[in-house]
Amino acid sequence: MTRAARWLLIGVALIAAAPVSAETLREAIAAAWEGNPELAAARARQDALGETPDQARAPGRLTAGATGNAGYDRLGYDSTGTRTGATSALGGVSATLPIWTGGRVSSAVRAANGDVAAGGEALRDIEADVLERVVGAYADLLYTQQAAEVARVGIERLDSQVAEARSRYGLGQATRTDVAQLEAQRASVVSNLIDAEGAVATAAAAYRAVVGRDAGTLDAGIAPPSTLPRSLADARDAAEAGNPVLLAQQRRVEAATARIDQARAERAPAIDLTGGYGRGVQWAGGGAQGFDSAANAGLAFRVPLLTGGLVASRVRQAEALRRAERFDADAASRAVVRAADTAWASLTAAEGRLKASAEGLAAADLALKGVRAEYGFGLRSTIDILVADQSYRSAQLAVARAKVDVLTAQAALLRATGRMGRGAFD
């Protein structure tokens, strides 16, 4: 049976038709995507990380600066015995253009780009985590709302049964015990409703925390995502190709490889084109005298000769860190395949429970109607009514629980395969 056909079985489990204005899962996801502060903070950190490649390129670009200073010099006494002095000012500009950096800049840029790419995948995983929690909060609230509705409808049904029993008691066709049994059942369902309403309030608070607004009544009509894998093999392949945790770790391996080249580049020579211009002025004896201007241009050559073993140590350190990142990538690969296997198993089990629960609900509905009809002809006792009614409510709750289990399992599978995004449940 296809997933679409299985979902058609849910129709018998709807407690009441959702109002036109009910909030959908798609709307909840959109609200969290736009307004969740955790996502906003993660995106801001990624924006900051995105500046590192430009910072890494800066040492390979033209730089220039200006300098200036001024001072007063006491020169002594003149022939009249008056103390003399002069004020002077010097200023200049200098510029440096790297011509050859020995690979320092290019390797630093590659490392920074790797960090940015890893950060982008990590951001995607944070987004998937938040959206999965949105789906979980939606599912929990949907179940508690349906559980409360089951209790309300059950109370209404028991009210009519209690009234009928009292009427039959007045006609001598039932005993006081029959009435008391129905009243006791009603009181039990009222208690269930109180508990369900408390659960609704708790689930609504969790929903508001992740989505950012109150929910109201939720829409239970959720179609299965079109991007779900069709088999376990497809799920594993998708996880290895698109899981953001694994992709982020692979980008970290690339960045670690670039840092080895960056450490080795410290052994290479570097050549800079340099130039400068300066001029000074002195004020003394009421007049100004300019110094001759000075300009220079040339090449600066730098080559490390002895570093005390520092460069060699940094190279070994970078190589060890790359090995660690590779091992982490292997571990991440196993972890994402395991997550895909677990999510697939959970979804398969939940779909099986949903099918069985829907069939059980249909049978319980038929049984309740039959018992009530037979009770009218005196062929069934009050206990039979109570048992059938309790079985029907349990079957309703089982379908509601299985439905949200399918929803949360779908979200987990989408996240494991890297397909949990804003449009996952469109």
Side-chain angles (χ1 to χ4, degrees):
M1 181 179 291
T2 65
R3 287 194 176 94
R6 292 175 184 175
W7 276 91
L8 291 177
L9 294 172
I10 300 171
V12 297
L14 294 179
I15 309 306
V20 176
S21 60
E23 179 161 357
T24 65
L25 178 57
R26 178 181 180 181
E27 292 170 342
I29 287 176
W33 185 271
E34 297 297 335
N36 186 278
E38 187 176 340
L39 283 183
R43 290 164 181 160
R45 282 190 290 269
Q46 180 62 17
D47 290 341
L49 184 61
E51 296 298 324
T52 56
D54 275 345
Q55 296 171 11
R57 293 185 185 95
R61 294 170 173 168
L62 175 67
T63 59
T67 60
N69 60 74
Y72 176 80
D73 297 324
R74 190 177 69 181
L75 303 177
Y77 297 91
D78 59 15
S79 58
T80 64
T82 302
R83 179 174 293 177
T84 62
T87 301
S88 60
L90 299 174
V93 294
S94 61
T96 301
L97 176 63
I99 298 176
W100 173 254
T101 65
R104 293 173 177 85
V105 173
S106 59
S107 57
V109 171
R110 291 202 312 275
N113 285 333
D115 291 339
V116 172
E121 295 297 339
L123 173 61
R124 198 159 67 90
D125 184 60
I126 292 173
E127 291 171 343
D129 175 65
V130 171
L131 296 186
E132 185 181 14
R133 284 189 277 130
V134 170
V135 175
Y138 190 99
D140 288 342
L141 182 55
L142 180 62
Y143 172 75
T144 57
Q145 288 180 348
Q146 291 186 339
E149 185 63 19
V150 166
R152 291 189 189 97
V153 173
I155 291 172
E156 293 174 0
R157 187 168 56 249
L158 284 169
D159 283 340
S160 64
Q161 290 173 351
V162 168
E164 181 183 354
R166 287 173 178 170
S167 176
R168 290 168 63 88
Y169 173 69
L171 296 175
Q173 298 175 353
T175 66
R176 180 59 189 164
T177 301
D178 294 329
V179 177
Q181 287 175 329
L182 288 168
E183 290 175 340
Q185 180 84 316
R186 182 188 183 282
S188 176
V189 179
V190 169
S191 177
N192 292 340
L193 176 59
I194 294 172
D195 290 340
E197 288 175 341
V200 168
T202 300
Y207 180 94
R208 183 168 53 252
V210 67
V211 176
R213 66 187 187 194
D214 292 324
T217 302
L218 301 183
D219 184 2
I222 305 171
S226 60
T227 55
L228 281 175
R230 298 185 178 275
S231 66
L232 177 58
D234 289 343
R236 289 176 174 175
D237 291 342
E240 291 181 319
N243 186 283
V245 174
L246 177 57
L247 295 179
Q249 188 56 43
Q250 291 172 347
R251 302 294 87 76
R252 293 188 187 102
V253 172
E254 296 172 1
T257 301
R259 287 191 172 90
I260 295 176
D261 295 336
Q262 187 178 3
R264 288 172 177 165
E266 294 301 320
R267 298 169 176 162
I271 302 175
D272 298 333
L273 176 63
T274 62
Y277 175 83
R279 184 174 178 81
V281 179
Q282 183 182 70
W283 290 270
Q289 178 181 359
F291 299 137
D292 289 338
S293 60
N296 66 81
L299 293 175
F301 178 78
R302 294 173 286 112
V303 56
L305 297 178
L306 294 175
T307 63
L310 178 62
V311 173
S313 176
R314 286 177 174 171
V315 170
R316 293 193 300 271
Q317 181 184 48
E319 290 172 342
L321 290 174
R322 181 179 62 177
R323 290 197 302 273
E325 297 291 359
R326 283 179 171 174
F327 287 131
D328 285 342
D330 292 340
S333 178
R334 297 183 184 184
V336 300
V337 171
R338 176 186 175 185
D341 288 351
T342 301
W344 180 264
S346 297
L347 178 57
T348 302
E351 288 177 337
R353 287 196 304 273
L354 178 58
K355 178 182 177 182
S357 298
E359 293 172 351
L361 177 58
D365 180 51
L366 180 62
L368 178 59
K369 292 176 180 177
V371 168
R372 291 188 66 185
E374 293 168 0
Y375 178 76
F377 291 101
L379 301 177
R380 292 285 183 172
S381 66
T382 303
I383 292 296
D384 294 329
I385 286 283
L386 296 177
V387 170
D389 186 77
Q390 178 62 41
S391 297
Y392 179 68
R393 286 198 308 275
S394 297
Q396 286 179 307
L397 293 177
V399 169
R401 181 74 268 173
K403 179 179 178 181
V404 300
D405 286 345
V406 168
L407 183 59
T408 55
Q410 288 173 341
L413 184 56
L414 288 175
R415 183 180 179 188
T417 54
R419 297 174 179 178
M420 174 58 85
R422 180 174 182 175
F425 285 88
D426 287 351

